[in-house]
Structures are given as structure tokens and as C-alpha cells.
Tab-separated table of all heavy atoms in Angstrom:
chain	number	residue	atom	x	y	z
D	1	MET	N	39.270	2.510	6.269
D	1	MET	CA	37.991	1.971	6.435
D	1	MET	C	37.508	1.572	4.916
D	1	MET	O	37.639	2.454	4.010
D	1	MET	CB	37.086	2.948	7.089
D	1	MET	CG	35.674	2.454	7.326
D	1	MET	SD	34.896	3.662	8.318
D	1	MET	CE	34.321	2.478	9.475
D	2	CYS	N	36.854	0.452	4.750
D	2	CYS	CA	36.305	0.066	3.369
D	2	CYS	C	34.816	0.518	3.290
D	2	CYS	O	34.025	0.721	4.248
D	2	CYS	CB	36.387	-1.395	3.259
D	2	CYS	SG	37.967	-2.014	3.105
D	3	SER	N	34.427	0.756	1.977
D	3	SER	CA	33.155	1.126	1.698
D	3	SER	C	32.619	0.310	0.500
D	3	SER	O	33.525	0.024	-0.370
D	3	SER	CB	32.963	2.570	1.317
D	3	SER	OG	31.727	2.958	0.879
D	4	THR	N	31.378	-0.103	0.615
D	4	THR	CA	30.861	-0.912	-0.526
D	4	THR	C	29.677	-0.210	-1.217
D	4	THR	O	28.688	0.047	-0.538
D	4	THR	CB	30.425	-2.363	-0.084
D	4	THR	OG1	29.428	-2.299	0.884
D	4	THR	CG2	31.635	-3.146	0.342
D	5	GLY	N	29.859	0.191	-2.348
D	5	GLY	CA	28.680	0.805	-3.093
D	5	GLY	C	28.348	2.252	-2.599
D	5	GLY	O	28.932	2.761	-1.613
D	6	GLY	N	27.381	2.848	-3.314
D	6	GLY	CA	26.959	4.152	-3.018
D	6	GLY	C	25.597	4.141	-2.341
D	6	GLY	O	25.203	3.072	-1.788
D	7	PRO	N	24.943	5.178	-2.532
D	7	PRO	CA	23.577	5.344	-1.837
D	7	PRO	C	22.578	4.196	-2.513
D	7	PRO	O	22.673	3.844	-3.649
D	7	PRO	CB	22.998	6.638	-2.187
D	7	PRO	CG	24.177	7.366	-2.590
D	7	PRO	CD	25.212	6.441	-3.101
D	8	MET	N	21.726	3.602	-1.595
D	8	MET	CA	20.777	2.613	-2.122
D	8	MET	C	19.814	3.147	-3.150
D	8	MET	O	19.391	4.242	-3.032
D	8	MET	CB	19.910	2.121	-0.861
D	8	MET	CG	18.796	1.172	-1.308
D	8	MET	SD	19.127	-0.312	-0.398
D	8	MET	CE	17.756	-1.307	-0.884
D	9	GLY	N	19.655	2.370	-4.252
D	9	GLY	CA	18.830	2.810	-5.211
D	9	GLY	C	19.371	3.850	-6.303
D	9	GLY	O	18.575	4.388	-6.997
D	10	GLU	N	20.606	3.961	-6.219
D	10	GLU	CA	21.356	4.914	-7.162
D	10	GLU	C	21.011	4.563	-8.681
D	10	GLU	O	20.803	5.432	-9.420
D	10	GLU	CB	22.822	4.831	-6.792
D	10	GLU	CG	23.545	5.920	-7.609
D	10	GLU	CD	25.023	5.926	-7.247
D	10	GLU	OE1	25.419	5.505	-6.141
D	10	GLU	OE2	25.868	6.113	-8.165
D	11	ASN	N	20.999	3.212	-8.920
D	11	ASN	CA	20.966	2.855	-10.217
D	11	ASN	C	19.475	2.225	-10.556
D	11	ASN	O	19.319	1.394	-11.499
D	11	ASN	CB	22.076	1.861	-10.654
D	11	ASN	CG	23.377	2.611	-10.754
D	11	ASN	OD1	23.522	3.748	-11.090
D	11	ASN	ND2	24.441	1.880	-10.318
D	12	LEU	N	18.576	2.412	-9.663
D	12	LEU	CA	17.290	1.728	-9.723
D	12	LEU	C	16.355	2.374	-10.677
D	12	LEU	O	16.168	3.733	-10.525
D	12	LEU	CB	16.780	1.678	-8.241
D	12	LEU	CG	15.405	0.814	-8.108
D	12	LEU	CD1	15.737	-0.577	-8.449
D	12	LEU	CD2	14.986	1.069	-6.586
D	13	ASP	N	15.904	1.710	-11.586
D	13	ASP	CA	14.865	2.302	-12.612
D	13	ASP	C	13.482	1.812	-12.083
D	13	ASP	O	13.083	0.670	-12.359
D	13	ASP	CB	15.178	1.837	-13.971
D	13	ASP	CG	14.245	2.582	-14.960
D	13	ASP	OD1	13.395	3.369	-14.626
D	13	ASP	OD2	14.385	2.307	-16.126
D	14	VAL	N	12.740	2.672	-11.467
D	14	VAL	CA	11.444	2.313	-10.868
D	14	VAL	C	10.488	1.838	-11.958
D	14	VAL	O	9.747	0.993	-11.725
D	14	VAL	CB	10.899	3.567	-10.110
D	14	VAL	CG1	9.463	3.150	-9.590
D	14	VAL	CG2	11.840	3.922	-8.909
D	15	LYS	N	10.591	2.332	-13.100
D	15	LYS	CA	9.637	1.983	-14.190
D	15	LYS	C	9.757	0.480	-14.629
D	15	LYS	O	8.939	-0.098	-15.193
D	15	LYS	CB	9.827	2.923	-15.388
D	15	LYS	CG	9.391	4.388	-15.050
D	15	LYS	CD	9.683	5.222	-16.308
D	15	LYS	CE	9.311	6.626	-15.940
D	15	LYS	NZ	9.639	7.621	-17.113
D	16	LYS	N	11.036	0.009	-14.419
D	16	LYS	CA	11.191	-1.489	-14.802
D	16	LYS	C	10.730	-2.355	-13.688
D	16	LYS	O	10.809	-3.634	-13.959
D	16	LYS	CB	12.792	-1.610	-15.170
D	16	LYS	CG	13.123	-0.970	-16.317
D	16	LYS	CD	14.471	-1.314	-16.646
D	16	LYS	CE	15.038	-0.437	-18.004
D	16	LYS	NZ	16.413	-0.741	-18.246
D	17	LEU	N	10.534	-1.959	-12.562
D	17	LEU	CA	9.968	-2.853	-11.521
D	17	LEU	C	8.639	-3.422	-11.819
D	17	LEU	O	7.786	-2.792	-12.440
D	17	LEU	CB	9.988	-2.212	-10.121
D	17	LEU	CG	11.327	-1.747	-9.521
D	17	LEU	CD1	11.125	-0.838	-8.225
D	17	LEU	CD2	12.277	-2.925	-9.359
D	18	LYS	N	8.424	-4.699	-11.482
D	18	LYS	CA	7.050	-5.343	-11.817
D	18	LYS	C	6.167	-5.194	-10.639
D	18	LYS	O	6.039	-5.948	-9.714
D	18	LYS	CB	7.274	-6.801	-12.117
D	18	LYS	CG	8.205	-6.937	-13.393
D	18	LYS	CD	8.103	-8.359	-13.830
D	18	LYS	CE	8.902	-8.458	-15.111
D	18	LYS	NZ	8.560	-9.480	-15.910
D	19	THR	N	5.446	-4.062	-10.688
D	19	THR	CA	4.392	-3.763	-9.641
D	19	THR	C	3.112	-4.461	-9.945
D	19	THR	O	2.718	-4.817	-11.029
D	19	THR	CB	4.156	-2.216	-9.440
D	19	THR	OG1	3.782	-1.706	-10.701
D	19	THR	CG2	5.444	-1.596	-8.993
D	20	LYS	N	2.265	-4.667	-8.846
D	20	LYS	CA	1.050	-5.203	-9.035
D	20	LYS	C	-0.057	-4.170	-8.579
D	20	LYS	O	0.266	-3.420	-7.866
D	20	LYS	CB	0.843	-6.607	-8.212
D	20	LYS	CG	1.854	-7.571	-8.750
D	20	LYS	CD	1.648	-8.854	-7.852
D	20	LYS	CE	2.566	-9.965	-8.357
D	20	LYS	NZ	2.498	-11.040	-7.323
D	21	LYS	N	-1.229	-4.337	-9.089
D	21	LYS	CA	-2.362	-3.334	-8.630
D	21	LYS	C	-3.093	-4.104	-7.543
D	21	LYS	O	-3.430	-5.170	-7.546
D	21	LYS	CB	-3.378	-3.105	-9.881
D	21	LYS	CG	-2.654	-2.246	-10.910
D	21	LYS	CD	-3.635	-1.791	-11.929
D	21	LYS	CE	-4.403	-0.566	-11.233
D	21	LYS	NZ	-5.361	0.039	-12.127
D	22	TYR	N	-3.427	-3.272	-6.468
D	22	TYR	CA	-4.037	-3.622	-5.310
D	22	TYR	C	-5.213	-2.607	-5.086
D	22	TYR	O	-5.356	-1.558	-5.464
D	22	TYR	CB	-3.094	-3.615	-4.188
D	22	TYR	CG	-2.030	-4.600	-4.213
D	22	TYR	CD1	-0.896	-4.359	-4.757
D	22	TYR	CD2	-2.331	-5.872	-3.671
D	22	TYR	CE1	0.137	-5.248	-4.896
D	22	TYR	CE2	-1.335	-6.886	-3.881
D	22	TYR	CZ	-0.069	-6.541	-4.431
D	22	TYR	OH	0.947	-7.460	-4.402
D	23	ARG	N	-6.331	-3.233	-4.382
D	23	ARG	CA	-7.392	-2.444	-3.794
D	23	ARG	C	-7.534	-2.584	-2.350
D	23	ARG	O	-7.455	-3.806	-1.833
D	23	ARG	CB	-8.758	-2.808	-4.571
D	23	ARG	CG	-9.896	-2.218	-3.930
D	23	ARG	CD	-11.247	-2.655	-4.420
D	23	ARG	NE	-11.332	-2.446	-6.038
D	23	ARG	CZ	-11.332	-3.516	-6.864
D	23	ARG	NH1	-11.534	-4.778	-6.539
D	23	ARG	NH2	-11.455	-3.234	-8.206
D	24	CYS	N	-7.715	-1.551	-1.494
D	24	CYS	CA	-7.819	-1.621	-0.159
D	24	CYS	C	-9.328	-2.056	0.129
D	24	CYS	O	-10.171	-1.336	-0.416
D	24	CYS	CB	-7.379	-0.298	0.525
D	24	CYS	SG	-7.725	-0.303	2.186
D	25	LEU	N	-9.519	-3.040	0.879
D	25	LEU	CA	-10.877	-3.445	1.314
D	25	LEU	C	-11.487	-2.637	2.404
D	25	LEU	O	-12.591	-2.797	2.608
D	25	LEU	CB	-10.850	-4.975	1.744
D	25	LEU	CG	-10.277	-5.873	0.543
D	25	LEU	CD1	-10.109	-7.354	1.166
D	25	LEU	CD2	-11.196	-5.925	-0.640
D	26	ASP	N	-10.657	-1.846	2.927
D	26	ASP	CA	-11.210	-0.928	3.929
D	26	ASP	C	-11.667	0.495	3.379
D	26	ASP	O	-12.819	0.929	3.670
D	26	ASP	CB	-10.152	-0.657	5.154
D	26	ASP	CG	-9.972	-1.953	5.981
D	26	ASP	OD1	-10.866	-2.805	6.028
D	26	ASP	OD2	-8.882	-2.040	6.568
D	27	CYS	N	-10.812	1.124	2.663
D	27	CYS	CA	-11.175	2.485	2.029
D	27	CYS	C	-11.467	2.518	0.647
D	27	CYS	O	-11.954	3.534	0.163
D	27	CYS	CB	-10.011	3.490	2.474
D	27	CYS	SG	-8.526	3.362	1.454
D	28	GLY	N	-11.201	1.325	-0.062
D	28	GLY	CA	-11.525	1.390	-1.553
D	28	GLY	C	-10.453	1.889	-2.387
D	28	GLY	O	-10.517	2.062	-3.735
D	29	ASN	N	-9.345	2.465	-1.812
D	29	ASN	CA	-8.257	3.044	-2.737
D	29	ASN	C	-7.579	1.957	-3.574
D	29	ASN	O	-7.344	0.767	-3.057
D	29	ASN	CB	-7.095	3.637	-1.636
D	29	ASN	CG	-6.113	4.299	-2.454
D	29	ASN	OD1	-6.232	4.921	-3.413
D	29	ASN	ND2	-4.830	4.197	-1.830
D	30	GLU	N	-7.340	2.288	-4.763
D	30	GLU	CA	-6.563	1.321	-5.730
D	30	GLU	C	-5.168	2.022	-5.960
D	30	GLU	O	-5.074	3.281	-6.142
D	30	GLU	CB	-7.278	1.247	-7.108
D	30	GLU	CG	-8.671	0.644	-6.911
D	30	GLU	CD	-9.337	0.297	-8.180
D	30	GLU	OE1	-8.745	0.640	-9.308
D	30	GLU	OE2	-10.473	-0.152	-8.246
D	31	PHE	N	-4.279	1.054	-5.941
D	31	PHE	CA	-2.846	1.586	-6.127
D	31	PHE	C	-1.880	0.448	-6.529
D	31	PHE	O	-2.438	-0.664	-6.519
D	31	PHE	CB	-2.336	2.093	-4.606
D	31	PHE	CG	-2.344	0.999	-3.501
D	31	PHE	CD1	-1.359	0.192	-3.218
D	31	PHE	CD2	-3.559	0.829	-2.861
D	31	PHE	CE1	-1.422	-0.753	-2.211
D	31	PHE	CE2	-3.717	-0.220	-1.892
D	31	PHE	CZ	-2.621	-0.976	-1.488
D	32	LYS	N	-0.647	0.761	-6.851
D	32	LYS	CA	0.389	-0.103	-7.319
D	32	LYS	C	1.214	-0.520	-6.106
D	32	LYS	O	1.570	0.454	-5.381
D	32	LYS	CB	1.210	0.339	-8.414
D	32	LYS	CG	0.357	0.348	-9.790
D	32	LYS	CD	1.203	0.743	-10.909
D	32	LYS	CE	0.426	0.924	-12.190
D	32	LYS	NZ	1.238	1.254	-13.293
D	33	GLY	N	1.666	-1.682	-5.888
D	33	GLY	CA	2.514	-2.008	-4.829
D	33	GLY	C	3.544	-3.198	-5.205
D	33	GLY	O	3.500	-3.723	-6.270
D	34	LEU	N	4.548	-3.265	-4.318
D	34	LEU	CA	5.566	-4.086	-4.640
D	34	LEU	C	6.136	-4.600	-3.362
D	34	LEU	O	6.284	-3.856	-2.322
D	34	LEU	CB	6.784	-3.195	-5.318
D	34	LEU	CG	8.080	-3.971	-5.598
D	34	LEU	CD1	7.839	-4.977	-6.739
D	34	LEU	CD2	9.136	-3.011	-5.958
D	35	GLY	N	6.312	-5.987	-3.233
D	35	GLY	CA	6.779	-6.532	-2.005
D	35	GLY	C	5.743	-7.591	-1.398
D	35	GLY	O	4.915	-8.061	-2.033
D	36	ARG	N	6.089	-8.017	-0.229
D	36	ARG	CA	5.348	-9.168	0.310
D	36	ARG	C	4.299	-8.591	1.204
D	36	ARG	O	3.153	-9.291	1.364
D	36	ARG	CB	6.257	-10.108	1.151
D	36	ARG	CG	7.204	-10.777	0.244
D	36	ARG	CD	8.095	-11.699	1.167
D	36	ARG	NE	9.051	-12.449	0.268
D	36	ARG	CZ	10.055	-13.027	0.700
D	36	ARG	NH1	10.170	-13.333	2.041
D	36	ARG	NH2	10.759	-13.710	-0.106
D	37	LYS	N	4.565	-7.548	2.049
D	37	LYS	CA	3.593	-6.993	2.938
D	37	LYS	C	3.122	-5.637	2.459
D	37	LYS	O	3.709	-4.659	2.761
D	37	LYS	CB	4.207	-6.789	4.373
D	37	LYS	CG	4.578	-8.105	5.049
D	37	LYS	CD	5.217	-7.888	6.314
D	37	LYS	CE	5.684	-9.327	6.952
D	37	LYS	NZ	6.239	-9.101	8.309
D	38	ILE	N	1.981	-5.711	1.725
D	38	ILE	CA	1.370	-4.489	1.018
D	38	ILE	C	0.528	-3.867	2.009
D	38	ILE	O	-0.310	-4.374	2.673
D	38	ILE	CB	0.700	-4.916	-0.254
D	38	ILE	CG1	1.516	-5.759	-1.097
D	38	ILE	CG2	0.079	-3.621	-0.834
D	38	ILE	CD1	2.681	-4.989	-1.581
D	39	ILE	N	0.724	-2.562	2.144
D	39	ILE	CA	-0.226	-1.748	3.073
D	39	ILE	C	-0.675	-0.622	2.126
D	39	ILE	O	0.074	0.055	1.431
D	39	ILE	CB	0.631	-1.283	4.180
D	39	ILE	CG1	1.144	-2.378	5.101
D	39	ILE	CG2	-0.054	-0.199	5.064
D	39	ILE	CD1	2.087	-1.829	6.201
D	40	CYS	N	-1.975	-0.152	2.472
D	40	CYS	CA	-2.603	0.890	1.683
D	40	CYS	C	-1.882	2.131	2.016
D	40	CYS	O	-1.741	2.475	3.229
D	40	CYS	CB	-4.125	0.920	1.954
D	40	CYS	SG	-4.861	2.316	1.370
D	41	PRO	N	-1.392	2.945	1.034
D	41	PRO	CA	-0.861	4.100	1.216
D	41	PRO	C	-1.715	5.267	1.801
D	41	PRO	O	-1.389	6.170	2.464
D	41	PRO	CB	-0.273	4.600	-0.068
D	41	PRO	CG	-1.100	3.945	-1.040
D	41	PRO	CD	-1.543	2.577	-0.398
D	42	SER	N	-3.108	5.026	1.537
D	42	SER	CA	-4.035	6.119	1.933
D	42	SER	C	-4.502	5.972	3.472
D	42	SER	O	-4.465	6.899	4.221
D	42	SER	CB	-5.332	5.956	1.166
D	42	SER	OG	-6.266	6.837	1.503
D	43	CYS	N	-4.796	4.670	3.954
D	43	CYS	CA	-5.181	4.511	5.313
D	43	CYS	C	-4.261	3.659	6.117
D	43	CYS	O	-4.673	3.333	7.246
D	43	CYS	CB	-6.707	3.987	5.236
D	43	CYS	SG	-6.831	2.242	4.719
D	44	GLN	N	-3.278	3.145	5.575
D	44	GLN	CA	-2.271	2.213	6.267
D	44	GLN	C	-2.943	0.882	6.639
D	44	GLN	O	-2.370	0.257	7.621
D	44	GLN	CB	-1.708	3.034	7.464
D	44	GLN	CG	-1.139	4.310	7.227
D	44	GLN	CD	-0.050	4.329	6.205
D	44	GLN	OE1	0.894	3.424	6.360
D	44	GLN	NE2	-0.163	5.205	5.146
D	45	SER	N	-3.853	0.443	6.018
D	45	SER	CA	-4.441	-0.903	6.331
D	45	SER	C	-3.749	-1.848	5.528
D	45	SER	O	-3.514	-1.832	4.352
D	45	SER	CB	-6.014	-0.869	5.989
D	45	SER	OG	-6.506	-2.234	6.061
D	46	PRO	N	-3.581	-3.131	6.100
D	46	PRO	CA	-2.947	-4.192	5.457
D	46	PRO	C	-4.065	-5.151	4.681
D	46	PRO	O	-3.654	-6.244	4.178
D	46	PRO	CB	-2.345	-4.912	6.556
D	46	PRO	CG	-3.037	-4.672	7.819
D	46	PRO	CD	-3.562	-3.266	7.557
D	47	ASN	N	-5.232	-4.623	4.896
D	47	ASN	CA	-6.391	-5.364	4.330
D	47	ASN	C	-6.626	-5.072	2.975
D	47	ASN	O	-7.450	-4.200	2.526
D	47	ASN	CB	-7.612	-5.056	5.121
D	47	ASN	CG	-8.856	-6.083	4.753
D	47	ASN	OD1	-8.640	-7.113	4.268
D	47	ASN	ND2	-10.034	-5.587	5.164
D	48	VAL	N	-5.760	-5.695	1.970
D	48	VAL	CA	-5.759	-5.326	0.526
D	48	VAL	C	-5.827	-6.638	-0.301
D	48	VAL	O	-5.595	-7.776	0.266
D	48	VAL	CB	-4.564	-4.494	0.161
D	48	VAL	CG1	-4.480	-3.182	0.957
D	48	VAL	CG2	-3.277	-5.359	0.285
D	49	GLU	N	-6.416	-6.437	-1.428
D	49	GLU	CA	-6.462	-7.573	-2.424
D	49	GLU	C	-5.816	-7.161	-3.782
D	49	GLU	O	-5.852	-6.030	-4.150
D	49	GLU	CB	-7.915	-7.896	-2.702
D	49	GLU	CG	-8.801	-6.972	-3.435
D	49	GLU	CD	-10.226	-7.441	-3.675
D	49	GLU	OE1	-10.484	-8.637	-3.350
D	49	GLU	OE2	-10.890	-6.552	-4.305
D	50	GLU	N	-5.288	-8.204	-4.385
D	50	GLU	CA	-4.781	-7.800	-5.810
D	50	GLU	C	-5.805	-7.918	-6.714
D	50	GLU	O	-6.681	-8.678	-6.702
D	50	GLU	CB	-3.693	-9.004	-6.034
D	50	GLU	CG	-2.868	-8.806	-7.359
D	50	GLU	CD	-1.879	-9.728	-7.579
D	50	GLU	OE1	-1.464	-10.568	-6.784
D	50	GLU	OE2	-1.547	-9.907	-8.797
D	51	ILE	N	-5.564	-6.885	-7.650
D	51	ILE	CA	-6.781	-6.823	-8.822
D	51	ILE	C	-6.121	-6.943	-10.040
D	51	ILE	O	-4.956	-6.842	-10.252
D	51	ILE	CB	-7.590	-5.463	-8.656
D	51	ILE	CG1	-6.633	-4.265	-8.772
D	51	ILE	CG2	-8.349	-5.572	-7.428
D	51	ILE	CD1	-7.359	-3.001	-8.719
């Protein structure tokens, strides 16, 4: 049986990722996010804006 690579993120340096700052329009939480579908980590709302 073949295997390709090790565990995901093994060589991933989180500090080098280009995150953006967001504000939740429902609870006011400010946080950094990465990706296309940003969700507030505090209240799980997708109602966020980039700041």
C-alpha cells in the first residue's frame, strides 16, 4: 500500500500565513481569519466584515 506525505500541517508555519482582521457585526468580536467563509469564533455568525 502506498502513502503520500505525513500528517496535514506538519511543516506549516502559522505565523507566515496572511491572515486578515475581521469584526463580527452580531457580537462585536474582533479576530483574525483565513479563508473564504469566515465565521466568528465567538458566536459562530457568518455576519462579519474585514477591518
Side-chain angles (χ1 to χ4, degrees):
M1 183 172 237
C2 291
S3 175
T4 58
M8 177 124 176
E10 183 177 331
N11 296 323
L12 187 62
D13 186 359
V14 177
K15 292 179 183 178
K16 290 184 181 179
L17 294 176
K18 296 194 180 207
T19 58
K20 296 179 182 177
K21 289 192 78 173
Y22 293 91
R23 177 183 300 119
C24 178
L25 299 176
D26 290 336
C27 73
N29 183 35
E30 292 186 5
F31 59 94
K32 291 183 180 180
L34 179 69
R36 293 182 183 172
K37 295 182 181 178
I38 306 299
I39 297 176
C40 175
S42 180
C43 71
Q44 306 304 310
S45 171
N47 190 19
V48 300
E49 69 177 357
E50 188 177 339
I51 55 174

